[in-house]
Amino acid sequence: MGDFLHAALAFPAALFSFALVIVAGYWLLVLIGGAGVHILDGGEDGHAGTGAQEAGLPVTVTLSLGLLIAWLVSLAGAALTADLPLRAASLAVAVAAAWAGTRLAARIARRVLPPEQVASRDDFIGRICVIRTGRVDSGFGQAEVRADDGATAIVQVRTEETGLAAGSSALIFDYDADGEFFRVAPFDGALDPHKPVA
């Protein structure tokens, strides 16, 4: 155990050891529910995303895997040699191995895992939303809309009609790309074809 700790705290493994402790803490928080896996993959700002994940793996997984590979290779370099130039060379090898390993893992993930489909703004057109603000008019309003996978999003909505208030249902019929809001009209929520079956 003493030799292991000595190698883990020696150059170049020490450069990755402390970062690995932080990554381990992050994944511990994920396991107990205190953090989301997609912290570095883009925040949730109330706007729906577009397209599918292209990398094959979330950024957090990719960074963690790369760090682990770099740490293992540099740990081997620290354990096998005491010569500083060779240890410096093992640092370069560790970085190259991490880069190659994460690229290979992402390539495998793209082939094995189905792409994560993210609801696009166009998917919300034709859906019923529930107004979440006290009023909706031509310059103000928010509503909650449900996607096919059951996830909900708070979106900006506008209308030229009257009568929409918190809790009422509205039909999303258009998206204004310039203003980044959906156009809605009053609608009977009981007629919603996308309403979950009880």
Side-chain angles (χ1 to χ4, degrees):
M1 188 68 175
D3 291 340
F4 173 79
L5 285 176
H6 178 73
L9 297 175
F11 177 81
L15 298 175
F16 302 106
S17 294
F18 298 110
L20 200 61
V21 170
I22 294 171
V23 168
Y26 164 78
W27 286 112
L28 182 62
L29 284 175
V30 169
L31 287 175
I32 61 176
V37 176
H38 302 290
I39 285 177
L40 299 177
D41 299 330
E44 295 182 11
D45 59 357
H47 297 291
T50 57
Q53 180 178 306
E54 294 183 42
L57 291 173
V59 174
T60 48
V61 174
T62 303
L63 289 175
S64 300
L65 179 61
L67 186 61
L68 179 61
I69 293 170
W71 180 75
L72 289 172
V73 173
S74 63
L75 182 67
L80 293 175
T81 182
D83 186 45
L84 190 58
L86 289 177
R87 285 191 177 189
S90 72
L91 175 62
V93 171
V95 172
W99 179 81
T102 53
R103 280 185 54 98
L104 178 62
R107 191 172 295 172
I108 291 171
R110 273 197 301 269
R111 292 182 181 170
V112 175
L113 302 174
E116 179 185 348
Q117 297 297 327
V118 180
S120 72
R121 291 180 175 98
D122 290 340
D123 293 336
F124 291 145
I125 295 175
R127 290 191 175 272
I128 306 304
C129 62
V130 178
I131 304 304
R132 293 301 182 209
T133 50
R135 64 179 170 81
V136 178
D137 55 33
S138 61
F140 176 80
Q142 288 186 337
E144 182 178 351
V145 62
R146 184 177 302 273
D148 283 333
D149 63 0
T152 59
I154 301 297
V155 295
Q156 300 296 318
V157 293
R158 304 290 185 266
T159 188
E160 300 297 330
E161 302 184 42
T162 59
L164 287 178
S168 59
S169 298
L171 172 68
I172 298 173
F173 65 88
D174 192 20
Y175 178 72
D176 188 306
D178 293 332
E180 295 187 347
F181 61 80
F182 291 94
R183 296 188 186 279
V184 296
F187 191 83
D188 184 354
L191 302 176
D192 182 4
H194 301 289
K195 187 176 181 179
V197 177

